Amino acid sequence: GASFPDALAGGPAAAALGGPVLLVQRDRVPQVVLDELRRLRPERVLVLGGEAAVSATATAQLAREPFVVQRVAGAGRYETAAQVSSTVFASPAPLAYVATGADYPDALAGAAAAGAVRAPLLLVARDSVPSATAQELARLDPERIVVLGGAGAVSDSVTRALASHAPSVSRLAGVDRYATAAAVARSLGTPRGYFLATGRGFADALTGGPAAARAGAPVLLVPTSCIPAVVHVEMERHEYPPVTVLGGTGAVSALAADLRPCVRVPDGELADGVRLSTIDDPRGPWSGKVVSVAPRAQWRLDPVLAQDALPGLETTSSMARRTDALVAVNGDFALSGGRPVHAFARDGRLLQTEQTLGRNFAVSATPTAHIGYPSQDVRLTVHDNGKTAPLSRVNSGASGPGALALTTPEGGRVAPVPGDSCAARLLRQGAPALDDAGRAVQAYTVDEVSCGTAPVAPGDDVLTAPQQGTWAPLLRELVPGQSVDVSWSLGWPGVLDSIGGNPILVDKGRVVEGSVDGTDPFSRRNPRTAVGYRPDGAVLLVTVDGRESDNSAGMTLRELAQLFVDLGAEAALNLDGGGSTTMVIGGEVQNVPSDGLERPVSSALVLLPGSAPSSGGALRRSAPAGRAPEPLPVEQQEAADERIAADPGSTGGLMGSRSSG
C-alpha cells in the first residue's frame, strides 16, 4: 500500500481471476486484511512485488493461513508487471494496455478498463520499452495495443516501437488525468455505472479497479472537492448511471460525491484589488490567464520552495494548498532534483545565492516590485567587536580559500558542512527584520565552533570556511553565546522575498530586443509563465497555454514580451515554462498543463493574505503550521527531471539557449 507500481498490473490480473486487490504494509499484513482474507477463503493468494515491497515477514503471516501463497515479482516494476501478465494471461491476446510506470493516474483508469475486457496492463518508460515489457508483448502477440496517456507520459517514439508488437496501436489520452480517465471510460461502451476515485492518490482506485471491472463500471478520477466538466460530460452521455464513490471524504468530499461540478474561475474580482482576466486571441491562437494585483490590495506575493528543501520538486497546486494561497503560479527554472537556478529568498531569509548569472523578481516592503540583475551582498557582523565579513555563498557550498559560506537546514542535502572546514553553528534569535538601510537581518547566537576536529552538529544555520582560508581566523575567534548577525541585500532596499527567471522581457515599458529574438527552441512558441508590474505598482501574473491545448499555440518570447507591453507593464520576467506552466486559483489548476497533467516544479509564486512589514518590523512565516509538503516518490521525481531537462520551454530549452548563445 506504500507504492503503486506492483498493483497497477495486478488490478487487471485480479479481475481476470475473479479476485480482489488487497493492500499490505511492507512488513505486516494489517488485521483488517487478514479478516477479509478469512472471509473470502481463497485457494491462492498472489503477492505482487519483491521483498523490498512485501517482505518475507509479511508473506510468512499469510503462509500461516489455509491458502497457497505465491510471490510474483521481477527485478523492478517493469519486470514485475510482465511477470504478473505471464502468470495470468494466455497467448495470443486480443488486447493489451500499456501505461507509464513513472506515475499512476493513467494506469488507474486503464487497470479497471483492462480488467473489464480481461486484458493485461504492461508498463513502459516515457521514451523506451523495457526489455521485460517487450518480451511479454512478444509472448502475448496481441492483436491490438492501447497506450494510456499523452505523449508527456508515453512518448510518440514508444508508440512507434510498440507497433512492432501488434497490428494496431492506438492512444487514449486527455489534457489531464481526469480527461484521460474519461476517454478510457468512453472507449468501453455503455457502462452499468461509474466508480469515482480521487486522482490525487492511487490506493482507492487501485483496489477499486477489479470491483469496478466486475460491476461493468469504469473508474473516473476526480479532485477532492468537485467533478471536472469532462467527467460530467462522460456521465451525462449515459444519463448519470449509479455511482460508487471509493474512499473517505478526505479523498472524495461529500460535495464531490453529490456531483458538484468544478467550474473554471470566471473573470472578475477574486478579492479586493485582485482581478482575473482571460487571454483569448485568435491571432496566435492564444489562450491564457492574467491575474493583476493592485498595490492597495491586502495581499502579498510570496515565493515558496518546493518541499521546503534544496533540491525539491512539488506541484504548484500542492504548494498553493499548503500555504492557503488565493493564486499561485510556478516559479523558477529547476536544476536536477528541483534546485532553483537563480537566487531565492523568502520571508527575509536568503535561502540560495544564484547558481548562474541571475535575473530576479522581488517585492520590497513599500510594496514596490523590482525586476533585474540582483546585486548580491551578504555579510556577517560580529556584535562585540564590530568585525564584518562577506558571505560569498548561501546553500551553494564553499568555493576557494577566500570563501565564507552559509548552510541552512533547507540546503543541507546540496551544501553539507565539510568535515575538514572551520564551522560555527548558529541559533536564530527571533525572526528576520529590516534594518534602517533596508537590508534583511537575521540575529543569531553562536552555539558551537569547530576547526578540523569533529564537524559541528546541524543547527539553525552553519557558517563554514576552509581551514587555511581567509576567513578561518574569524570563525576561530567566535565563542559560544556570542551574538552575530547575517544581513543580505539584492541591491533593492526593503526586499524580503525574491525568485528568479530568465530572460527579462520588458524594461521601462519596452520589449528588451536582445533578450527575446533568439531562433533556438527556447525562444520559439512554448507554454509560458511570467511576472511583471505596471508603473502604478500593480503586479501581473500571466500563464499562456500551448501544445496540448486546442486553442493556444504557445508564445515566443517576443510575443510574450509584447503581451506585457499591451498589458501596460513597466517590466516583466519570464519564469519556468513549457510543461511547468501552471496557474492555480482557489486550489484548482486553471490552465491546461501541456504534459497532460500537472508537473512538479522547483518553486512557486503565491498570493497570500496580508502585507509585508515596514522597515524594522519582524517577519512572520506565511505557511500555516503543520502543513508539511508530501514527499514526491523517487520515480515521479526522476520522470519530472527528465521532462524538465528535455522541455524546450523549461530548463532544457534555457540551458540549450545559453550554450548556443
Side-chain angles (χ1 to χ4, degrees):
S3 190
F4 60 85
D6 297 332
L8 289 180
L17 295 172
V21 169
L22 297 172
L23 304 180
V24 298
Q25 297 172 358
R26 179 186 181 277
D27 295 312
R28 188 176 73 88
V29 180
Q31 186 61 47
V32 67
V33 176
L34 287 173
D35 292 345
E36 178 61 8
L37 286 169
R38 290 163 184 164
R39 186 192 71 82
L40 290 168
R41 294 186 294 173
E43 295 178 4
R44 181 168 56 140
V45 169
L46 300 183
V47 177
L48 305 184
E51 291 191 9
V54 181
S55 71
T57 303
T59 57
Q61 272 186 275
L62 296 171
R64 292 194 288 269
E65 302 294 326
F67 38 69
V68 175
V69 178
Q70 176 186 350
R71 186 186 292 275
V72 182
R77 66 193 61 193
Y78 305 106
E79 193 170 318
T80 293
Q83 291 284 351
V84 170
S85 173
S86 65
T87 300
V88 175
F89 295 96
S91 173
L95 171 65
Y97 285 83
V98 170
T100 176
D103 208 351
Y104 58 82
D106 299 333
L108 288 180
V117 296
R118 301 298 189 265
L121 173 66
L122 296 168
L123 305 179
V124 296
R126 180 187 182 278
D127 294 309
S128 65
V129 180
S131 59
T133 304
Q135 291 169 15
E136 177 58 12
L137 285 171
R139 185 194 71 82
L140 289 168
D141 190 25
E143 296 177 12
R144 187 161 61 100
I145 293 174
V146 174
V147 177
L148 303 170
V154 179
S155 68
D156 290 335
S157 63
V158 168
T159 61
R160 290 191 292 269
L162 292 172
S164 65
H165 295 284
S168 171
V169 178
S170 59
R171 186 190 292 273
L172 289 173
V175 298
D176 57 20
R177 63 192 65 191
Y178 311 115
T180 293
V184 171
R186 194 160 51 250
S187 73
L188 297 176
T190 303
R192 294 201 292 270
Y194 290 106
F195 278 47
L196 297 186
T198 177
R200 290 176 174 160
F202 58 84
D204 297 334
L206 277 180
T207 54
R214 193 174 302 115
V219 170
L220 294 172
L221 303 181
V222 297
T224 300
S225 58
C226 58
I227 307 298
V230 68
V231 176
H232 266 296
V233 168
E234 172 57 25
M235 291 193 291
E236 189 176 29
R237 290 175 64 245
H238 301 290
E239 298 180 348
Y240 291 93
V243 168
T244 299
V245 179
L246 300 173
T249 56
V252 179
S253 70
L255 289 173
D258 287 340
L259 306 187
R260 171 198 173 189
C262 299
V263 179
R264 288 281 190 240
V265 176
D267 288 4
E269 293 287 323
L270 302 176
D272 184 32
V274 182
R275 184 173 183 82
L276 170 68
S277 58
T278 296
I279 301 166
D280 185 8
D281 190 336
R283 291 177 299 169
W286 297 306
S287 67
K289 300 289 183 181
V290 179
V291 171
S292 61
V293 185
R296 64 175 171 79
Q298 291 300 300
W299 295 82
R300 65 188 182 91
L301 286 164
D302 213 19
V304 179
L305 195 61
Q307 300 295 333
D308 288 336
L310 295 166
L313 287 167
E314 187 179 357
T315 61
T316 303
S317 61
S318 173
M319 287 183 270
R321 285 192 297 272
R322 67 182 176 86
T323 56
D324 288 337
L326 174 65
V327 179
V329 296
N330 64 282
D332 196 1
F333 297 87
L335 300 175
S336 179
R339 185 186 182 101
V341 173
H342 303 98
F344 185 95
R346 187 186 187 199
D347 291 347
R349 296 183 62 216
L350 183 63
L351 297 181
Q352 177 178 281
T353 46
E354 62 190 19
Q355 304 302 292
T356 185
L357 180 62
R359 288 91 166 160
N360 271 68
F361 168 79
V363 179
S364 63
T366 23
T368 302
H370 307 273
I371 288 175
Y373 294 84
S375 176
Q376 294 177 168
D377 180 11
V378 191
R379 305 193 71 80
L380 170 70
T381 301
V382 182
H383 279 200
D384 57 5
N385 59 24
K387 289 185 177 180
T388 64
L391 274 71
S392 55
R393 300 165 77 81
V394 177
N395 285 331
S396 300
S399 178
L404 179 61
L406 181 69
T407 296
T408 76
E410 291 85 356
R413 285 188 291 167
V414 293
V417 177
D420 59 349
S421 64
C422 280
R425 184 171 73 218
L426 308 177
L427 301 182
R428 293 183 207 135
Q429 302 301 303
L434 290 170
D435 67 14
D436 292 339
R439 295 172 63 87
V441 182
Q442 174 66 63
Y444 295 97
T445 296
V446 177
D447 187 54
E448 181 186 355
V449 180
S450 175
C451 281
T453 57
V456 300
D460 289 335
D461 296 292
V462 179
L463 289 167
T464 62
Q467 283 191 70
Q468 307 305 318
T470 305
W471 299 109
L474 178 64
L475 295 188
R476 288 191 180 97
E477 292 175 2
L478 297 178
V479 296
Q482 195 168 17
S483 296
V484 299
D485 286 343
V486 172
S487 65
W488 62 271
S489 171
L490 297 180
W492 303 301
V495 164
L496 308 164
D497 304 281
S498 186
I499 197 166
N502 194 41
I504 296 174
L505 304 167
V506 176
D507 184 43
K508 298 178 181 177
R510 297 178 180 274
V511 173
V512 180
E513 301 287 343
S515 296
V516 300
D517 292 324
T519 58
D520 55 279
F522 179 65
S523 303
R524 297 174 199 156
R525 285 187 167 180
N526 288 291
R528 301 287 184 185
T529 304
V531 61
Y533 61 86
R534 294 188 178 118
D536 65 358
V539 174
L540 303 169
L541 302 174
V542 173
T543 59
V544 178
D545 290 332
R547 298 179 190 159
E548 294 292 320
S549 176
D550 293 334
N551 61 344
S552 188
M555 282 187 169
T556 66
L557 288 175
R558 171 168 276 279
E559 289 166 344
L560 183 63
Q562 187 59 52
L563 170 64
F564 272 91
V565 171
D566 294 343
L567 291 170
E570 172 74 10
L573 176 68
N574 183 60
L575 302 175
D576 190 11
S580 301
T581 288
T582 312
M583 179 176 283
V584 176
I585 299 176
E588 300 293 337
V589 176
Q590 298 296 307
N591 66 310
V592 182
S594 69
D595 281 357
L597 69 165
E598 190 181 356
R599 176 189 291 174
V601 293
S602 75
S603 52
L605 193 56
V606 303
L607 190 64
L608 304 176
S611 56
S614 60
S615 180
L619 308 186
R620 64 170 182 84
R621 287 193 59 80
S622 51
R627 301 285 291 278
E630 294 185 4
L632 191 71
V634 172
E635 58 273 7
Q636 292 183 45
Q637 177 177 308
E638 292 173 348
D641 272 340
E642 290 176 4
R643 292 171 186 168
I644 290 166
D647 191 331
S650 187
T651 307
L654 173 66
M655 297 307 178
S657 172
R658 288 182 172 180
S659 61
S660 64

